[in-house]
Amino acid sequence: MLATDSKLPITEGADKRAYVRQMFADIAPRYDFLNHLLSLNIDRLWRRRAVRALGWERKPDGSYLDLCAGTLDLAAALARCDGFHGRVLGADFALPMLQRGQAKDTPVIPINADALTLPFRAESFDGATVGFGVRNLADLDMGLHEIMRILKPGARIIVLEFTTPAWQPLRGLYFFYFRRVLPLIGRLFSKHMTAYDYLPESVLAFPEPEAFAERMRRAGFRDVHFTRQTGGICAIHRGSRGPVHEGV
Ligand SMILES: C[S@@+](CC[C@H](N)C(=O)[O-])C[C@H]1O[C@@H](n2cnc3c(N)ncnc32)[C@H](O)[C@@H]1O
């Protein structure tokens, strides 16, 4: 985690929850466009890799949950896999984001719900994904425990999240782009005054991949590991719920 002197609510708590929910509701109409523009379309590749890491082939007719599903792109990438004939639910607490996803006619069931208090019984899902969502949670540990609760024994969680590249000169270039260029482009196209300042600041405040992997282990996940993507701009984390319920 890197120190910032942010005035935005990037630390956990009720302020962050309210800010994040309203901010995504506000930027929903421009979210997909800006995602693809700002990442030069690499976000599509990361989502495909995240779906591959889920190992849904072990249960192609299973039930899967995409959390912080936004405009449903990650959920749809799973639902549209050749050979997949299960059920994919996409949960998000910002309704306008889900509505944008539904307008794309995705084969995903949208659920307007908070990832910290999911409306599902324990051990309901054969796997779960979170794309660029855990960083936004108002209580990361509570979110991880909630994911653990709704997974069946042996089921896998995949978390896709931004991180910062370690290798210079990519690191310097990345910081320049992320802190100086991206907020300007984001503000120009979204007309939102803070959303694209929140993005880099929340990434810098989020635990580095090693520390996040440790939080996953502490929440009770097994076989936790991660792979850095595209020079370390983001990471795909993987973990499994143990074979028996262990009181988490
Ligand atoms: C950066 S977007 C990611 C959307 C999508 N997963 C993707 O890959 O593009 C983060 C999403 O997480 C949602 N979110 C943040 N905290 C949440 C929570 N506690 N419960 C449900 N959704 C949440 C936001 O509303 C937003 O749609």
Side-chain angles (χ1 to χ4, degrees):
M1 192 189 301
L2 299 176
T4 72
D5 53 359
S6 180
K7 293 184 177 58
L8 293 169
I10 50 173
T11 50
E12 299 193 350
D15 285 357
K16 180 172 180 177
R17 183 186 187 281
Y19 172 81
V20 164
R21 188 161 180 241
Q22 186 60 50
M23 184 263 283
F24 281 105
D26 292 344
I27 66 168
R30 305 303 279 162
Y31 177 80
D32 283 338
F33 169 76
L34 275 165
N35 244 359
H36 304 323
L37 176 71
L38 294 170
S39 76
L40 305 176
N41 251 339
I42 302 172
D43 60 312
R44 295 181 202 267
L45 172 73
W46 293 333
R47 288 194 189 83
R48 281 201 301 277
R49 286 184 178 166
V51 167
R52 221 174 295 145
L54 183 61
W56 58 267
E57 295 87 347
R58 296 181 301 165
K59 193 129 181 32
D61 58 347
S63 282
Y64 293 85
L65 178 64
D66 182 39
L67 284 149
C68 301
T71 55
L72 303 178
D73 278 1
L74 181 53
L78 169 60
R80 292 197 172 116
C81 282
D82 278 347
F84 181 85
H85 40 92
R87 198 170 66 124
V88 185
L89 282 67
D92 200 287
F93 67 3
L95 187 59
M97 291 288 277
L98 290 176
Q99 287 167 335
R100 300 300 295 191
Q102 270 185 298
K104 289 185 273 186
D105 202 19
T106 47
V108 174
I109 304 163
I111 307 284
N112 191 203
D114 192 324
L116 303 185
T117 50
L118 290 168
F120 306 114
R121 281 200 297 268
E123 305 186 6
S124 298
F125 292 96
D126 297 289
T129 51
V130 196
F132 310 109
V134 288
R135 171 176 44 87
N136 297 301
L137 295 178
D139 187 330
L140 176 61
D141 294 322
M142 188 174 169
L144 291 173
H145 281 98
E146 189 61 350
I147 296 168
M148 175 71 90
R149 185 185 70 77
I150 54 92
L151 286 179
K152 293 179 186 174
R156 198 176 280 174
I157 168 74
I158 298 297
V159 175
L160 184 59
E161 193 49 87
F162 287 114
T163 176
T164 54
W167 180 71
Q168 289 288 14
L170 182 61
R171 187 173 171 84
L173 207 63
Y174 171 88
F175 273 87
F176 177 73
Y177 174 72
F178 216 44
R179 279 179 153 159
R180 305 269 173 245
V181 182
L182 180 146
L184 290 179
I185 300 175
R187 207 171 303 145
L188 184 70
F189 285 100
S190 73
K191 310 286 181 226
H192 195 285
M193 284 304 121
T194 57
Y196 290 87
D197 292 304
Y198 168 85
L199 169 58
E201 290 184 19
S202 61
V203 171
L204 298 181
F206 192 71
E208 291 290 320
E210 294 82 359
F212 178 65
E214 195 46 40
R215 297 279 278 271
M216 287 180 70
R217 286 188 197 98
R218 279 203 337 239
F221 288 101
R222 303 272 193 88
D223 307 321
V224 173
H225 68 263
F226 63 87
T227 53
R228 293 180 200 269
Q229 306 292 316
T230 321
I233 293 172
C234 88
I236 296 177
H237 293 263
R238 198 177 104 173
S240 299
R241 179 167 176 175
V244 286
H245 188 59
E246 290 164 337
V248 287

